Amino acid sequence: MDESSAKAALDETAPSKSSGDIWLVNDDPAQLMVQKRLLSRFCTSVTSFLSPLEALASARSVPSSPLLVTDFHMPGMDGPELAQFWCDLHDQARVLVVSASELSSKERIKVEKLPAERVKVLTSYRIAELKDQAQGWFEHSPRSDSRAHSVEDANLSKNSQRFDKSVLAKLSHLGGATFVTRTVARFVVNTPQKVTLIEEAFQEKDLSKMHATSHSLKGSCGLVGATALLAIADRLETATDPDRSDPLDFDTLRSTMVDLRKECTSTVQELEDSSKK
């Protein structure tokens, strides 16, 4: 969907653009696309980047916004580190750091060192919450979005236990059927590839790679409401957390890997079947 089509689809209910420019950083292209669309509903513009270093390089060469939304877990530089740079760069910085999962004790200590009046951390959030949380933080007055969502669930089975069908309904309300189709198509292609990367990391006993890829898979599942697969990815992310204190049970992990592949196949198949209806 191009920008004019998206605008036409949202004109009837689009809120006024009451915030300024936002810079957005997320290393997952699918999450970046959806987050940008959500934030664009209340701000003047969204400038997006796939890495913190890319955002910082641009900020040094062009005027940048003091308003920043950044993912927490990213390679090279994480969200809190970028947030601190942003506070040093902008006297009026306000930063929202988002994480799809709860933080470890080590990560919470890192967050506590950030200026609480300028940096907010949002954890274990649903994608639909991002707009209101960001708008409330940047405008100092949280607003609720009470518009009804009447779009159906992209033809998913009414008895499906794999999906939170309201997620796709909200995506459809946000960007229309074409936007949902594009998001689902990207998920269908990318998800089996991520599962294969996790399987390869398991064979190599590369727990760091397993942890990072499981986190990325969780984010992708959240975008389309694939709750069953998300739960398995969450189990893997938790099991391979480098900060865990108890020893890793490889037998349990091996069983979870079997569940991962099986649920990935079923989830992708259900989405593909729904697209043919």
Side-chain angles (χ1 to χ4, degrees):
M1 176 179 288
D2 58 27
E3 289 301 319
S4 60
S5 298
K7 184 177 185 300
L10 298 171
D11 270 347
E12 184 177 348
T13 56
S16 59
K17 306 288 187 177
S18 51
S19 286
D21 300 331
I22 291 177
W23 278 34
L24 170 66
V25 182
N26 195 309
D27 63 313
D28 186 306
Q31 292 188 58
L32 189 70
M33 177 185 71
V34 174
Q35 289 177 352
K36 182 174 183 178
R37 185 66 65 95
L38 283 168
L39 296 172
S40 294
R41 289 187 61 89
F42 74 89
C43 68
T44 305
S45 68
V46 180
T47 303
S48 58
F49 302 91
L50 279 168
S51 78
L53 295 180
E54 181 186 358
L56 286 174
S58 295
R60 293 189 181 101
S61 59
V62 300
S64 59
S65 171
L67 307 182
L68 173 71
V69 177
T70 176
D71 191 30
F72 193 109
H73 302 95
M74 295 180 291
M77 175 186 292
D78 63 21
E81 291 169 333
L82 177 59
Q84 187 60 65
F85 271 106
W86 218 252
C87 290
D88 294 340
L89 187 65
H90 294 283
D91 292 337
Q92 302 300 317
R94 286 185 73 80
V95 183
L96 180 63
V97 182
V98 298
S99 170
S101 58
E102 289 295 336
L103 304 183
S104 67
S105 57
K106 183 177 180 180
E107 290 168 340
R108 286 195 294 271
I109 291 173
K110 179 177 288 191
V111 166
E112 289 170 358
K113 296 179 180 179
L114 297 172
E117 73 280 3
R118 303 173 70 188
V119 181
K120 177 178 180 178
V121 179
L122 178 63
T123 63
S124 296
Y125 71 101
R126 293 166 61 88
I127 188 65
E129 297 177 56
L130 179 62
K131 171 187 168 292
D132 289 336
Q133 291 288 339
Q135 188 171 8
W137 177 238
F138 294 140
E139 297 181 357
H140 309 279
S141 56
R143 301 180 183 180
S144 62
D145 189 347
S146 60
R147 291 185 296 276
H149 299 289
S150 59
V151 180
E152 286 302 318
D153 54 22
N155 296 320
L156 287 171
S157 167
K158 299 299 181 184
N159 299 317
S160 174
Q161 301 300 310
R162 293 192 164 87
F163 294 91
D164 176 354
K165 296 184 286 294
S166 68
V167 174
L168 288 180
K170 289 170 182 175
L171 278 182
S172 185
H173 179 81
L174 176 67
T178 302
F179 182 49
V180 173
T181 299
R182 189 168 58 202
T183 301
V184 168
R186 183 175 283 127
F187 178 87
V188 166
V189 171
N190 292 344
T191 298
Q193 296 175 354
K194 289 183 179 180
V195 169
T196 297
L197 288 175
I198 294 172
E199 290 171 334
E200 291 173 350
F202 175 71
Q203 293 299 325
E204 298 165 1
K205 289 186 168 54
D206 187 340
L207 300 185
S208 176
K209 183 177 177 181
M210 283 188 70
H211 182 73
T213 311
S214 297
H215 175 76
S216 176
L217 178 59
K218 270 181 58 177
S220 299
C221 291
L223 290 180
V224 300
T227 53
L229 185 57
L230 186 151
I232 296 174
D234 183 62
R235 278 156 51 193
L236 286 171
E237 182 186 25
T238 300
T240 56
D241 188 336
D243 293 324
R244 62 177 292 142
S245 56
D246 52 321
L248 181 62
D249 184 342
F250 268 93
D251 288 336
T252 300
L253 193 60
R254 186 174 293 105
S255 175
T256 304
M257 292 299 299
V258 173
D259 294 341
L260 175 69
R261 173 55 68 178
K262 186 182 301 183
E263 185 57 40
C264 171
T265 300
S266 298
T267 297
V268 169
Q269 186 63 57
E270 188 166 332
L271 278 177
E272 288 180 327
D273 290 346
S274 71
S275 68
K276 298 174 185 175
K277 296 178 181 179

